[in-house]
Amino acid sequence: MEKIKPKRLEKGDTIGIIAPASPHYNRSDIIRGIETLQEWGYKVITGENLHNKHEYLAGTDKERAHDFNEMFRNEEVDAIFVTHGGYGSARMLRYIDFDLVRKNPKIFIGYSDITSLHLAIQKYTGLVTFHGPGMAGFNPEDLTEYRKEYVFKALSQQEPIGEIRKANEKKWINCIHKGEVEGELTGGNLTLVCASLGTPYEIDTKGKILFLEEVWTEPWNIDHMFTHLYHAGKLQEAAGIVIGECTDCGPKKLDPGFHVTFSLEDILYDFIEPLGIPAIHGLPIGHTKDLATLPMGVNAKLDATNKKLYVTESGTK
């Protein structure tokens, strides 16, 4: 499918705010985010159902899909930011108007549960979207300089982002397998990537650089998901693999059955190293304080030998 790029974000543009997944706990989180965006020089409008709650969802599937579609339909809106992730984005896919999205390309950014939307948009429209922070954390207390830097590198500058560097020089990037490769970026949260398999929105990894991240998940469960990806051929088809920091993904003290001795690294080596493709682990992607924004569907270069990932194509025009 032909690649489509949204217009880059400029001061004075209008940002639409929607909640495609779970509801916010404190309304003030949204107010702070909106005020921060306005202080930066942007106009802000909110979805009709932004403050709705339906159990652990931010409204019914149709309500959340309505706000998504309307933001793409609204000619005044230049970019669409989600509040945060959580649960339920995949439930509204049946109600999304992908023709509308394709004909009205705009910046769309989010991560975690929003992975379901990124993969579906990629598959049905070719629109470049952005795996990055939700706006509920767009405030001086939560938005680190690293987060802010990479958001604006991805959304506002004409040049490619370039290197996705470590947020802290004390951090460690691990090379699982050496090598160098180029390809388009795809991926997201491991749980949601696996959930796409066997559906019309299934991830396409053939010849691409696959990035994956996870949070609060024990190694036995990650082992299950990597087994799923392997059996579906998704790991073998990838040109290269980048694993994020994967916050709090170690074994828990509670032992409900069999004692867990595998570490996350053990599983990564088990599944990825035998593939013989370039692969690294530890970049700040996804659920981490300092997370980089990645444009999905653009060209990138993975130099696993030197533990580097470069975004070599701009995600906007």
Side-chain angles (χ1 to χ4, degrees):
M1 181 171 289
E2 180 185 359
K3 184 185 302 182
I4 303 172
K5 295 183 180 182
K7 179 181 74 70
R8 66 187 178 96
L9 188 66
E10 299 179 281
K11 292 288 180 68
D13 282 348
T14 297
I15 297 173
I17 309 299
I18 61 173
S22 292
H24 46 270
Y25 185 70
N26 293 311
R27 186 172 291 210
S28 61
D29 292 337
I30 309 303
I31 295 171
R32 288 185 78 184
I34 291 173
E35 288 183 355
T36 300
L37 291 174
Q38 291 172 333
E39 288 170 4
W40 290 345
Y42 302 103
K43 302 170 187 174
V44 179
I45 67 171
T46 59
E48 178 183 339
N49 299 292
L50 183 69
H51 300 298
N52 288 7
K53 290 186 179 181
H54 178 64
E55 297 295 342
Y56 52 82
L57 305 172
T60 66
D61 300 338
K62 287 186 176 180
E63 287 172 341
R64 289 177 290 118
H66 169 82
D67 283 4
F68 179 95
N69 289 331
E70 285 305 307
M71 286 299 179
F72 274 98
R73 181 177 286 111
N74 190 334
E75 295 181 357
E76 295 182 5
V77 173
D78 301 290
I80 302 167
F81 287 14
V82 305
T83 52
H84 48 65
Y87 306 95
S89 295
R91 291 177 49 141
M92 59 180 245
L93 290 177
R94 74 194 82 171
Y95 302 117
I96 288 179
D97 186 342
F98 289 105
D99 286 337
L100 177 68
V101 173
R102 185 171 57 254
K103 293 173 183 177
N104 298 275
K106 301 177 183 185
I107 287 171
F108 178 75
I109 183 171
Y111 77 108
S112 190
D113 192 68
I114 309 304
T115 296
S116 296
L117 295 172
H118 287 310
L119 296 180
I121 292 170
Q122 271 192 312
K123 189 147 192 176
Y124 280 89
T125 74
L127 175 65
V128 172
T129 60
F130 299 85
H131 186 274
M135 59 74 57
F138 276 43
N139 61 73
E141 184 176 0
D142 298 318
L143 192 66
T144 68
E145 286 303 312
Y146 184 92
R147 277 195 184 206
K148 184 177 178 181
E149 175 190 349
Y150 274 90
V151 165
F152 285 105
K153 275 187 173 183
L155 305 187
S156 299
Q157 72 177 25
Q158 292 180 313
E159 302 79 19
I161 294 173
E163 181 185 352
I164 305 298
R165 69 177 194 282
K166 292 183 293 185
N168 184 331
E169 283 305 312
K170 295 179 181 180
K171 295 275 189 176
W172 171 258
I173 306 297
N174 189 34
C175 174
I176 301 171
H177 195 280
K178 294 181 178 181
E180 188 175 304
V181 71
E182 296 185 24
E184 287 188 359
L185 280 172
T186 191
N189 179 262
L190 177 59
T191 297
L192 279 306
V193 168
C194 284
S196 77
L197 302 181
T199 75
Y201 316 104
E202 182 170 307
I203 189 171
D204 175 15
T205 64
K206 192 170 184 178
K208 298 184 179 182
I209 296 175
L210 171 65
F211 70 89
L212 297 168
E213 63 87 23
E214 193 50 88
V215 65
W216 307 323
T217 305
E218 292 193 62
W220 67 267
N221 202 3
I222 290 178
D223 180 272
H224 166 76
M225 290 188 281
F226 267 89
T227 300
H228 193 181
L229 286 176
Y230 184 87
H231 287 162
K234 299 302 179 180
L235 298 178
Q236 302 92 313
E237 291 180 344
I241 297 176
V242 176
I243 308 295
E245 291 182 7
C246 296
T247 304
D248 197 16
C249 287
K252 306 301 181 191
K253 291 182 180 180
L254 175 65
D255 183 6
F258 297 98
H259 181 56
V260 176
T261 56
F262 266 130
S263 70
L264 170 63
E265 278 195 10
D266 289 331
I267 293 164
L268 298 181
Y269 275 107
D270 260 11
F271 281 95
I272 298 175
E273 189 178 35
L275 299 176
I277 61 176
I280 60 174
H281 165 222
L283 279 184
I285 300 169
H287 293 80
T288 181
K289 183 177 181 180
D290 293 300
L291 74 153
T293 297
L294 296 180
M296 298 178 63
V298 303
N299 292 319
K301 175 183 176 181
L302 172 59
D303 179 359
T305 303
N306 293 299
K307 307 175 186 179
K308 303 283 188 182
L309 175 66
Y310 302 90
V311 179
T312 56
E313 180 185 1
S314 174
T316 61
K317 62 182 181 180

